[in-house]
């Protein structure tokens, strides 16, 4: 059983909209305030409870052998099998009171949920972060091949997110993954479908849901109105950790196939509504593409534009200013401007307030001795980075990268002078994950 959204709560009152009056209509996600929670969950004997928060009373509900294994997991880098399926079914794991009361506590957190089972396998380990050890646990049906790996994957991703992107320490004491059907994030808990035949997909699903720890939970994002402020970042972090796990090529391939391809090849109008559009006003592909795809591409384009160091500095400025509060899109824009020391308004206008898409075109190209004079037209409009791939007549190739800075002065057209070594046969504009709507006009023979 997985029990979420299970208790009445006070609506958020913020200084922007007053009381949050938007009804939950099933598509959008949530907007919750920061609270302190103490939960006591009464469960029949032989049911183990996993929950948001610090587990307060393992001594009162677990039998000694399983208590010992659980406690060992809190100090160990190894994967501890706290209880296997036959142990769970044997009546040995929990105290044999008719009911056991499982207690959990969490402070300054936006939601609380729990799961319970009398037959799920229970794995646990922990990982040393900068200031603390965090517990990682998995609860799943015996034989779920991907979930057998989850505890190890979570040891990796909690540390990776803490040290790389966003480069902010995982803010909670625990993370538990429970097998279910939701692919959904909760503070300190995720509920994922088993994908036993595709470990890359399964692992990226876990990475994505755990990345949500930062957006929306750590940052207090209003997901109902601004889904692109949480899904866009979870999608971005999923892509970046995917590079570390699977290499650049596979990560790009996955991101293109799973995120970008459907959007860029679909000419329908509803998905062209500007990213800034309130998520509660969107439906169908308009919701998914704004929340996940276009927003994520904007964050990655900004990373390319600023470079990793300055982008991280600006991102940390945003996260430091707004964690534990409720930032709105304009807080993000202002924090990134201040943190980078640049006025990025042209960039935010370009990505958030337009119906742009991605379509570059070679308007003209000519080789003048050791110089290539190239004019690129931005038909789609988004300020994207791209590579210019040169193929020389002798068959060798060379690549030059251009960041979105080329669109700062003129967002429709850019003139590039590229030094070249030999006679050029053909030239190609390659956006990589910034997939182009019409690739044919990105290629030109000289
Ligand atoms: Zn998500």
């Amino acid at each position: 059983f997985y029990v979420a959204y299970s208790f009445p709560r006070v609506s958020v009152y913020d200084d922007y909209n007053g009381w949050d009056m938007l009804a939950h209509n099933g598509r959008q996600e949530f907007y919750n305030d920061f609270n302190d929670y103490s939960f006591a969950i009464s469960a029949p004997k032989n049911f183990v409870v996993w929950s948001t928060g610090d587990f307060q009373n393992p001594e009162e509900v677990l039998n000694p052998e399983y208590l010992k294994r659980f406690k060992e997991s809190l100090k160990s880098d190894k994967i501890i099998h706290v209880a296997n399926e036959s142990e769970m079914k044997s009546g040995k794991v929990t105290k044999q009171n008719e009911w056991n009361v499982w207690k959990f506590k969490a402070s300054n957190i936006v939601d609380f949920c729990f799961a319970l089972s009398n037959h799920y396998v229970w794995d646990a380990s922990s990982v040393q972060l900068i200031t603390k050890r965090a517990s990682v646990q998995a609860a799943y049906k015996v034989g779920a091949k991907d979930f057998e790996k989850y505890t190890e994957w979570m040891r990796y991703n909690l540390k990776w997110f803490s040290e790389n992107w966003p480069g902010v320490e995982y803010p909670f004491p625990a993370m538990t993954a429970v097998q279910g059907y939701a692919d959904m994030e909760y503070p300190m808990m995720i509920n994922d479908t088993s994908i036993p035949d595709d470990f890359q997909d399964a692992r990226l699903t876990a990475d994505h849901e755990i990345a949500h720890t930062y957006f929306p939970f750590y940052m207090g994002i209003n997901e109902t109105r601004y889904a692109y402020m949480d899904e866009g970042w979870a999608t971005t972090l999923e892509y970046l950790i995917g590079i570390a796990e699977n290499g650049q090529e596979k990560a790009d391939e996955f991101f293109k196939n799973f995120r970008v391809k459907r959007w860029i090849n679909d000419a329908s109008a509803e998905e062209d509504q500007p990213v800034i559009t309130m998520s509660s006003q969107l439906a169908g592909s308009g919701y998914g593409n704004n929340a996940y795809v276009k927003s994520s591409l904007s964050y990655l384009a900004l990373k390319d534009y600023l470079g990793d160091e300055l982008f991280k500095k600006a991102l940390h400025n945003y996260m430091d200013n707004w964690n534990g509060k409720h930032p709105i899109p304009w807080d993000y824009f202002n924090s990134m401007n201040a943190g980078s020391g640049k006025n990025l308004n042209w960039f935010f206008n370009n990505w958030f307030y337009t119906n742009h898409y991605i379509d570059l075109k070679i308007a003209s190209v000519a080789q003048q001795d050791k110089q290539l004079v190239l004019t690129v037209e931005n038909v789609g409009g988004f300020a994207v980075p791209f590579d210019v791939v040169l193929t020389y007549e002798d068959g060798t190739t060379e690549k030059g990268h251009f960041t979105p800075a080329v669109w700062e002065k003129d967002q429709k057209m850019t003139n590039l002078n590229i030094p070249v070594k030999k006679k050029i046969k053909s030239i190609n504009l390659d956006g990589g994950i910034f997939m182009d709507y019409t690739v044919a006009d990105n290629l030109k023979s000289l």
Side-chain angles (χ1 to χ4, degrees):
F1 302 97
Y2 198 95
V3 185
Y5 324 116
S6 62
F7 54 93
R9 53 193 313 154
V10 178
S11 169
V12 180
Y13 184 90
D14 66 29
D15 62 0
Y16 180 57
N17 289 304
W19 288 106
D20 175 34
M21 304 285 272
L22 288 178
H24 182 70
N25 67 10
R27 172 176 287 280
Q28 306 106 257
E29 295 186 348
F30 307 95
Y31 185 32
N32 296 324
D33 229 333
F34 291 86
N35 292 299
D36 296 339
Y37 289 94
S38 287
F39 257 53
I41 299 150
S42 300
K45 67 181 171 190
N46 302 327
F47 276 82
V48 168
V49 177
W50 298 273
S51 171
T52 302
D54 270 322
F55 188 8
Q56 299 290 294
N57 64 337
E59 295 82 1
E60 287 171 31
V61 292
L62 292 174
N63 276 328
E65 172 60 22
Y66 303 93
L67 176 67
K68 197 184 96 197
R69 293 184 201 171
F70 173 70
K71 285 196 155 171
E72 197 186 331
S73 80
L74 301 177
K75 289 179 285 181
S76 177
D77 288 339
K78 295 204 190 84
I79 309 306
I80 309 284
H81 303 291
V82 181
N84 63 31
E85 192 199 30
S86 63
E87 289 166 335
M88 285 291 284
K89 287 180 167 171
S90 70
K92 285 190 228 153
V93 177
T94 73
K95 299 274 189 201
Q96 292 301 294
N97 307 309
E98 198 178 342
W99 293 84
N100 289 311
V101 181
W102 301 65
K103 294 176 182 165
F104 298 88
K105 213 171 175 174
S107 303
N108 198 34
I109 200 161
V110 290
D111 202 2
F112 197 102
C113 68
F114 63 95
L116 64 165
S117 174
N118 62 359
H119 62 279
Y120 265 23
V121 178
W122 182 8
D123 290 348
S125 184
S126 53
V127 57
Q128 183 63 46
L129 304 175
I130 302 148
T131 66
K132 62 178 178 287
R133 267 194 100 76
S135 166
V136 288
Q137 302 177 47
Y140 55 96
K141 222 162 138 178
V142 71
K145 289 284 163 218
D146 50 345
F147 269 84
E148 290 171 3
K149 304 237 173 234
Y150 256 63
T151 311
E152 191 56 49
W153 290 347
M154 291 190 289
R155 273 179 44 76
Y156 179 85
N157 65 23
L158 260 59
K159 199 173 168 64
W160 194 93
F161 288 137
S162 299
E163 292 176 354
N164 297 279
W165 297 103
V168 170
E169 184 169 334
Y170 179 78
F172 301 137
M175 172 51 77
T176 302
V178 178
Q179 185 186 350
Y181 301 96
D183 295 338
M184 189 67 196
E185 70 278 9
Y186 307 86
M188 300 190 218
M189 300 274 283
I190 58 171
N191 178 317
D192 278 359
T193 318
S194 175
I195 315 172
D197 54 348
D198 186 344
F199 279 5
Q200 186 186 350
D201 192 4
R203 186 171 188 178
L204 287 172
T205 304
D207 292 338
H208 177 102
E209 304 314 335
I210 291 174
H212 275 303
T213 296
Y214 297 97
F215 309 90
F217 302 133
Y218 179 68
M219 298 295 287
I221 301 295
N222 183 342
E223 303 164 80
T224 316
R225 281 173 188 259
Y226 315 119
Y228 49 91
M229 292 180 77
D230 86 300
E231 293 300 353
W233 282 108
T235 302
T236 301
L237 294 170
E238 163 206 308
Y239 168 67
L240 294 173
I241 196 172
I243 297 170
E245 289 167 2
N246 304 307
Q248 186 77 52
E249 204 177 314
K250 276 193 170 170
D252 284 1
E253 206 53 39
F254 186 89
F255 192 77
K256 285 193 214 172
N257 286 334
F258 191 60
R259 300 296 189 191
V260 189
K261 203 179 250 175
R262 232 174 320 165
W263 162 65
I264 196 64
N265 292 322
D266 179 357
S268 72
E270 62 178 3
E271 65 192 31
D272 290 334
Q273 292 169 98
V275 177
I276 199 76
T277 311
M278 263 174 66
S279 308
S280 52
Q281 305 285 318
L282 294 168
S285 62
Y287 181 89
N289 287 310
N290 271 3
Y292 293 78
V293 183
K294 289 196 272 173
S295 52
S296 177
L297 288 169
S298 88
Y299 302 138
L300 290 165
L302 187 57
K303 178 171 174 286
D304 190 272
Y305 175 35
L306 296 177
D308 282 0
E309 202 180 325
L310 189 57
F311 178 72
K312 190 174 272 184
K313 188 175 165 223
L315 176 60
H316 285 186
N317 187 53
Y318 168 51
M319 293 180 76
D320 289 347
N321 284 346
W322 287 100
N323 82 76
K325 301 173 188 167
H326 298 301
I328 56 175
W330 299 273
D331 298 321
Y332 164 68
F333 302 148
N334 286 329
S335 285
M336 295 304 277
N337 280 348
S340 68
K342 281 174 178 273
N343 185 341
L344 302 166
N345 290 353
W346 75 270
F347 181 89
F348 295 130
N349 274 319
N350 176 288
W351 276 95
F352 285 80
Y353 290 87
T354 65
N355 60 356
H356 288 342
Y357 58 105
I358 302 173
D359 187 8
L360 301 180
K361 179 185 174 179
I362 297 178
S364 68
V365 60
Q367 180 167 9
Q368 295 163 356
D369 199 18
K370 294 279 156 97
Q371 180 115 304
L372 188 76
V373 182
L374 169 66
T375 301
V376 180
E377 190 184 341
N378 195 342
V379 181
F382 272 148
V384 288
F386 58 93
D387 287 341
V388 173
V389 184
L390 307 170
T391 303
Y392 293 107
E393 287 212 313
D394 63 7
T396 58
T397 61
E398 202 178 355
K399 198 154 76 172
H401 184 71
F402 293 88
T403 79
V406 299
W407 307 114
E408 190 168 346
K409 295 236 158 54
D410 180 348
Q411 291 175 37
K412 283 275 142 206
M413 196 80 89
T414 187
N415 298 306
L416 306 169
N417 292 309
I418 304 168
V420 292
K421 297 184 189 115
K422 296 170 274 188
K423 182 101 179 71
I424 288 172
K425 192 167 99 191
S426 67
I427 164 170
N428 185 26
L429 307 178
D430 181 5
I433 57 169
F434 296 86
M435 293 175 79
D436 202 286
Y437 180 53
T438 54
V439 285
D441 59 17
N442 289 23
L443 183 70
K444 204 141 198 171
S445 297
L446 263 70

